Amino acid sequence: MKNKKIVFFCQECGYESAKWMGQCPGCKAWNTFVEEPVSTVRKSTGVTAGRLTGRAEPMLLKDIRLDEDERKTTEIGELDRVLGGGIVPGSLVLVGGDPGIGKSTLLLQVCRNLSQDGNSVLYISGEESLGQIRLRANRIGTFNDKMQLLCETNLDTVRQVMERLKPEVAIIDSIQTMFSEEVGSAPGSVSQVRESTNVLMQIAKGLGITIFIVGHVTKEGNVAGPRVLEHMVDTVLYFEGDRHASYRILRAVKNRFGSTNEIGVFEMKESGLQEVANPSEYLLDGRPENASGCVVACSMEGTRPILVEIQALVCQSNFGIPRRTAVGTDFNRVNLLMAVLEKKVGLHLASSDAYVNIAGGMKMTEPAIDLGICLAIVSSVKDIVIPDGLMAFGEIGLSGEVRAVSMAGQRVKEAKKLGFDTVILPEVCKTSVEKPEGIQLVFVKRIQDAITYIMKK
Ligand SMILES: Nc1ncnc2c1ncn2[C@@H]1O[C@H](COP(=O)(O)OP(=O)(O)OP(=O)(O)O)[C@@H](O)[C@H]1O
Ligand SMILES: [Mg+2]
């Protein structure tokens, strides 16, 4: 008992306190403190080769050896893109996401591809039995004989197995089920999750094993356990998606080896997760014909333009305070745009309810969709149909001007690829866009110009 210290941890954010508190000073959550014993004696993890703190002697930057062909491809293009071009040996990747979104499926597919390429892969599951994993594996396809599975929740055993087998890639499904005997608290508690991640980090860096960790998310959508978990790992990926739609989006929120604004789009099928190479086509599928209040806009997700349909419904309010709803985009931004339309265009919206929706369940907050939102609202108010072949993008300023957006040329190209014939875009982008054949570009300076154009059509 001598070496055991009792501390209280907030289960939401990992705030540490010597005493129990009702409200967490860190995240302001109520009743989240739980008593956890913390061991003050630390056993050596036993991993020594190339350990992070292994050298007391500083090295010259130029003398540090780099392994050739640093990155390994997972053969899943969308995942490689989010990782920044493949997996980096010795990195620790955290994959978070809602229950049942497909985390285990995706990682099992990664295992299949990597083992088929001749890498040794170890899948450690603390949640499912070997039989259950086999069942999923059958659904996904054929596996290489070298693929190894282990059902284990004891971290010390996991470490020993890793040291013995030295796989190139290991999957831990999930971090909340792992426990270390050194830490007295229950699996999934803050100190256990932190300790487990720490040990896994040492294994990853020490033995050069790439480790993927599955993490459950809390109600708020953060990885359950403390935020420190996200600091410890190299890359944090979130798997998100609409419960009712079959597509899933993989997003990097932290990446030490690549950009964080790329997304990967997948569709859940019987045979596992399939890549969606052209998300715009997928999202625009099933658009209503000749309907007012709909327009196609374009948002950049990393280096990829994504076209979505924006829908608006404006109707007379029955109550004193009009009701406004925004699904898939920023509510305050929609209010701001409606105020601009009211003041600068003279549209009477003060006594109208307005509902704005990004079709397909995508979430978009890029200001480039402003013009699309405005046109959809105008189209609904005036009950005019915007032609199917028209796409619009541009940021709207408070004085009603249409401002420049980045990568206008790429957006126009994407519209052309998907068969659009007209694009409304900011005048200021004129110099940066080369006109592709067979598509009409309408440059507008103010929001009023764009409205005049669609009224004429
Ligand atoms: N036969 C099937 N056909 C189509 N989709 C399926 C089939 N079986 C399972 N699925 C999909 O796979 C999902 C489960 O995937 P998976 O177990 O990888 O999720 P997970 O994120 O690991 O969940 P958990 O958090 O529970 O571990 C289900 O929600 C379902 O959408
Ligand atoms: Mg799972």
Side-chain angles (χ1 to χ4, degrees), residues 59-66:
M59 267 179 101
L60 291 174
L61 180 66
K62 67 179 173 65
D63 290 345
I64 298 171
R65 194 175 55 84
L66 270 186

Side-chain angles (χ1 to χ4, degrees), residues 201-313:
M201 182 176 67
Q202 284 172 6
I203 297 174
K205 307 286 168 189
L207 301 172
I209 303 174
T210 303
I211 302 182
F212 284 89
I213 302 175
V214 173
H216 294 168
V217 296
T218 59
K219 276 199 295 284
E220 286 74 39
N222 300 320
V223 172
R227 256 253 122 98
V228 283
L229 199 71
E230 298 190 0
H231 286 295
M232 285 156 84
V233 300
D234 295 313
T235 304
V236 182
L237 306 180
Y238 273 99
F239 218 175
E240 49 188 51
D242 199 329
R243 280 225 153 261
H244 312 290
S246 62
Y247 73 87
R248 312 279 145 102
I249 291 169
L250 189 68
R251 207 182 277 281
V253 290
K254 165 185 171 175
N255 194 350
R256 285 189 181 146
F257 316 112
S259 136
T260 52
N261 42 23
E262 293 291 354
I263 62 165
V265 185
F266 296 92
E267 190 184 355
M268 182 58 98
K269 291 241 175 84
E270 168 84 38
S271 59
L273 288 156
Q274 304 283 315
E275 297 174 54
V276 177
N278 198 336
S280 307
E281 216 165 83
Y282 185 75
L283 285 167
L284 292 178
D285 211 23
R287 278 169 66 199
E289 276 169 27
N290 296 330
S292 64
C294 306
V295 69
V296 175
C298 178
S299 169
M300 293 300 291
E301 293 288 341
T303 52
R304 191 158 50 161
I306 295 199
L307 267 56
V308 280
E309 185 191 2
I310 298 182
Q311 304 181 323
L313 182 67

Side-chain angles (χ1 to χ4, degrees), residues 104 127-128 173:
S104 309
E127 290 188 341
E128 290 153 310
D173 190 1

Side-chain angles (χ1 to χ4, degrees), residues 119-131:
N119 299 292
S120 55
V121 183
L122 177 63
Y123 187 102
I124 300 166
S125 176
E127 290 188 341
E128 290 153 310
S129 69
L130 292 175

Side-chain angles (χ1 to χ4, degrees), residues 98-105 127 136 139 268-270:
D98 288 336
I101 196 95
K103 303 177 291 294
S104 309
T105 310
E127 290 188 341
R136 180 177 300 123
R139 186 157 74 84
M268 182 58 98
K269 291 241 175 84
E270 168 84 38

